[in-house]
Amino acid sequence: MSGSRIVALGHYQPPKVLTNDDLAKLVDTDDEWIRSRVGIRTRHIAEGETVVDLAAEAAQKALANSGRSASEVDLVVVATCTAVERSPNTAAAVAARLGVRSPAAYDINTVCSGFSYALATADHAIRAGAARTALVIGAERMSDTLDWTDRSTCVIFGDGAGAALVEAQEEGAEPGIGPVVWGSEPEKGDAVVITGWDPVISQQGQSVFRWATTQIAPLARQACERAGIDPSELKGFVPHQANLRIIDAIASRLGVTDAVVARDVVESGNTSAASVPLAFSKLVERGELSPGDPVLLFGFGGGLAYAGQVVRCP
């Protein structure tokens, strides 16, 4: 095989919307304070829906949009840092929910970079001949990790899921998923942490901001170089939806002057591993990107881990 490509995307968000004004009733904050610092207006919060529920909904939509059936899938990968169950893992539970028969199924936890990590491992498996059709999902219920009295974190995060159906391309076809650039800075891993059996998220906001706005653009440029494309040729840029100021700073440093830049953080907040596929799926659904368009996906955050690749729009 010459590689793989994304055939279709899907996304899902729980129906409950939490506005900045709603949060102002819970914690000492207001709409202006939140929007000026992180750019978020609303976020979706799951009530009674598990990470498996969110992931399965997004995956089902990706399957429906692809015209493929669950019986064709032989690999399921879920990126998440908020799964509660240790066994069966989220991927296996999603496969059972969708009726996928005998797939390889595993979860990946690299927090906010998880979807790009998962997409890379699925692409590698297909290139190696170990799989042919994969469901790659990012799903998070970040609301489970929040201290609703801590305005530095509770205003940032939301819940949701995004999914991609990925399949093999025949020999000689142009790869639809470019080489991944990935890595981490484990010595700075305490900048974003979720710890304990009753987990609560905390982060060193200024440290993360400085790291993201100075270190990610050069790494994103490397992903473009490995794909043989200049950032100016990109039609889309979908970075992790961490913070609107971070997104705009990275886009400016990268020089994606003519690209559609995903800013779903405004409506969805930071959904960790779900943020990249969720934002990408919305851009495609709205027709803001066209089939074959080169799009740079880049996740970064907890760990501090990062991963990104150029893909062709389905």
Side-chain angles (χ1 to χ4, degrees), residues 50-52 54-56 58-59 75-84 89-92 94 105-122 135-142 158-164 182 240 271-278 299-300 305 307 309:
T50 67
V51 172
V52 172
L54 302 177
L75 173 62
V76 180
V77 189
V78 175
T80 184
C81 68
T82 53
V84 175
N89 63 25
T90 308
V94 169
Y106 58 89
D107 293 357
I108 282 181
N109 178 7
T110 59
V111 200
C112 305
S113 60
F115 180 78
S116 281
Y117 265 84
L119 186 62
T121 65
L135 272 171
V136 182
I137 308 162
E140 301 283 20
R141 184 172 158 142
M142 294 302 294
D159 303 333
W182 56 8
H240 168 49
T271 55
S272 188
S275 80
V276 167
L278 178 60
F300 55 87
Q309 60 272 96

Side-chain angles (χ1 to χ4, degrees), residues 10-288:
H11 64 273
Y12 175 77
Q13 292 175 282
K16 180 179 179 180
V17 176
L18 194 67
T19 68
N20 292 343
D21 290 336
D22 293 331
L23 281 167
K25 299 173 185 177
L26 303 175
V27 68
D28 181 19
T29 191
D30 57 45
D31 179 65
E32 190 280 331
W33 189 89
I34 297 170
R35 292 173 68 171
S36 66
R37 283 161 177 78
V38 292
I40 298 169
R41 291 201 301 254
T42 60
R43 69 286 293 148
H44 291 248
I45 302 297
E47 292 183 310
E49 292 174 291
T50 67
V51 172
V52 172
D53 293 330
L54 302 177
E57 289 283 353
Q60 185 62 65
K61 290 181 179 179
L63 277 172
N65 288 337
S66 73
R68 274 57 165 185
S69 68
S71 63
E72 298 176 69
V73 175
D74 53 10
L75 173 62
V76 180
V77 189
V78 175
T80 184
C81 68
T82 53
V84 175
E85 291 76 17
R86 269 61 174 176
S87 180
N89 63 25
T90 308
V94 169
R97 184 79 60 86
L98 298 178
V100 179
R101 300 292 182 184
S102 304
Y106 58 89
D107 293 357
I108 282 181
N109 178 7
T110 59
V111 200
C112 305
S113 60
F115 180 78
S116 281
Y117 265 84
L119 186 62
T121 65
D123 176 54
H124 297 164
I126 290 172
R127 286 175 181 270
R132 186 168 181 86
T133 304
L135 272 171
V136 182
I137 308 162
E140 301 283 20
R141 184 172 158 142
M142 294 302 294
S143 57
D144 282 346
T145 72
L146 298 180
D147 175 357
W148 293 100
T149 67
D150 178 10
R151 74 171 185 172
S152 68
T153 55
C154 75
V155 303
I156 296 173
F157 296 95
D159 303 333
L165 187 77
V166 180
E167 70 177 15
Q169 291 184 263
E170 296 304 324
E171 197 67 42
E174 181 182 4
I177 298 176
V180 68
V181 170
W182 56 8
S184 66
E185 296 191 26
E187 69 278 4
K188 299 178 182 177
D190 60 353
V192 183
V193 296
I194 304 173
T195 58
W197 288 101
D198 186 14
V200 175
I201 190 168
S202 62
Q203 64 177 1
Q204 300 169 15
Q206 287 303 311
S207 295
V208 174
F209 184 89
R210 286 192 297 271
W211 173 74
T213 54
T214 59
Q215 302 302 310
I216 297 304
L219 295 166
R221 188 173 292 277
Q222 285 183 32
C224 292
E225 291 172 355
R226 292 190 183 183
I229 190 171
D230 188 84
S232 64
E233 299 176 83
L234 292 170
K235 296 299 184 182
F237 176 42
V238 187
H240 168 49
Q241 302 294 291
N243 174 315
L244 188 59
R245 292 164 60 205
I246 290 174
I247 292 168
D248 289 342
I250 295 171
S252 178
R253 288 200 66 193
L254 188 58
V256 286
T257 52
D258 295 325
V260 175
V261 178
R263 294 182 174 88
D264 186 51
V265 67
V266 175
E267 307 297 334
S268 302
N270 180 339
T271 55
S272 188
S275 80
V276 167
L278 178 60
F280 189 17
S281 179
K282 286 184 178 182
L283 290 179
V284 172
E285 184 176 77
R286 292 196 297 261
E288 295 185 47

